[in-house]
Amino acid sequence: MRDPCIVGLIPARYASSRLPGKPLALIAGKPMIQRVYERCLASTALLSVCVATDDVRIAEAVERFGGRVVMTRPDHPSGTDRVAEAAQKIEADIIVNIQGDQPFMDAAMIDEAVAPLVNDTDVDVSTLMFPIVNEDDLYNPSVVKVVTDLTGKALYFSRSLIPYPRESISHSVFEHVGLYVYRKETLLRLTRLPATTLEKVESLEQLRWLEHGLRIRVTESAVRDKEYHGFSVDTREDIERAEQMLRERE
């Protein structure tokens, strides 16, 4: 049996309420989308990488640094929908949906997330988590938490603190990392599923998948320096912080 064809797709749109043109924002002189793309190229699991965008400015920037582009419609409600359209236009068995605003992602995280789908045919979707070490993150609704069963399958994702520490029992709390891996047919199915109540309440699309019975495997990443490798850019201040982190680690 042949090895699966695994492709990384990076959804990128120009519009952003807090940082318009975010994929093209320069971090130490290099567009953020280029930094993400180059990180992906270091993955041992990916056969190829493409940027999925609806904007010619982003497409031209990607082509300038030698990257591949798949053009998509401008009206997608989420990055998952954009990735699904792009997936229909390429040859692939497994799709990795890579966040375009994490310029310092470690390629090992991609390999960690891909492994469950390659090794277990019962897994529908794979993703990652980090243990939370900053106490403020426990109560920050922007930091999404996840709990799993004993086999690593997701039980629930929430913006609230889960599990709630009703008893003084030693335990870890995990932050969900927004890196998703799906079989191509599963990805296309996800975009056809109707929205669900929990998804609407928490504004988390992965809850739709759980409510519809999909099996999501969550792996604790072994990558260290979460502050750096998990850093996301949303504002101009984040750009400044990103450049500072680069200087600190050079």
Side-chain angles (χ1 to χ4, degrees):
M1 189 174 71
R2 69 174 178 84
D3 292 335
C5 178
I6 305 171
V7 176
L9 286 173
I10 309 168
R13 64 189 185 99
Y14 194 88
S16 172
S17 58
R18 288 186 286 181
L19 187 58
K22 182 165 70 169
L24 303 183
L26 297 180
I27 300 176
K30 185 180 291 188
M32 179 161 63
I33 191 67
Q34 182 176 354
R35 290 192 175 277
V36 176
Y37 196 98
E38 290 173 350
R39 289 275 172 170
C40 296
L41 293 179
S43 165
T44 61
L46 297 180
L47 181 66
S48 63
V49 182
C50 296
V51 173
T53 187
D54 63 339
D55 194 281
V56 67
R57 291 164 291 188
I58 295 174
E60 290 174 348
V62 172
E63 289 169 349
R64 277 196 297 272
F65 66 73
R68 296 179 59 195
V69 177
V70 180
M71 298 304 295
T72 60
R73 302 195 320 267
D75 58 346
H76 287 300
S78 72
T80 303
D81 294 287
R82 190 174 307 284
V83 165
E85 183 193 346
Q88 295 181 68
K89 300 178 179 181
I90 63 174
E91 290 294 325
D93 299 308
I94 293 175
I95 300 292
V96 186
N97 183 348
I98 299 155
Q99 299 297 311
D101 58 4
Q102 294 185 337
F104 309 132
M105 178 194 61
D106 191 320
M109 294 166 63
I110 296 174
D111 301 340
E112 290 173 330
V114 165
L117 260 74
V118 173
N119 298 327
D120 188 346
T121 57
D122 287 336
V123 177
D124 296 311
V125 181
S126 176
T127 188
L128 299 176
M129 63 184 181
F130 278 120
I132 292 178
V133 295
N134 183 344
E135 187 172 356
D136 290 342
D137 288 344
L138 296 175
Y139 307 98
N140 183 349
S142 296
V143 177
V144 177
K145 293 82 177 175
V146 60
V147 289
T148 67
D149 69 10
L150 296 178
T151 67
K153 290 196 292 292
L155 292 171
Y156 195 68
F157 299 85
S158 182
R159 297 185 183 278
S160 299
L161 174 59
I162 52 173
Y164 181 80
R166 176 64 178 82
E167 304 292 342
S168 296
I169 299 173
S170 178
H171 69 287
S172 296
V173 179
F174 291 94
E175 173 185 357
H176 174 230
V177 179
L179 173 71
Y180 295 107
V181 186
Y182 345 71
R183 303 183 203 286
K184 184 175 179 177
E185 62 271 20
T186 301
L187 171 60
L188 301 182
R189 177 190 167 203
L190 293 182
T191 61
R192 297 191 295 265
L193 295 174
T196 57
T197 299
L198 293 178
E199 174 192 13
K200 294 175 183 177
V201 169
E202 295 249 24
S203 189
L204 295 173
E205 64 178 336
Q206 60 268 43
L207 291 177
R208 181 196 317 183
W209 311 341
L210 281 182
E211 285 191 85
H212 283 284
L214 273 78
R215 295 154 296 193
I216 305 176
R217 178 70 58 79
V218 190
T219 301
E220 180 180 351
S221 177
V223 170
R224 298 306 171 213
D225 198 358
K226 169 185 169 294
E227 179 187 15
Y228 181 61
H229 295 301
F231 185 73
S232 296
V233 173
D234 291 306
T235 65
R236 180 58 56 187
E237 291 72 25
D238 290 338
I239 295 288
E240 296 171 0
R241 175 59 182 145
E243 292 181 330
Q244 178 185 345
M245 286 195 289
L246 267 181
R247 289 191 297 269
E248 292 170 350
R249 287 162 176 81
E250 285 180 347

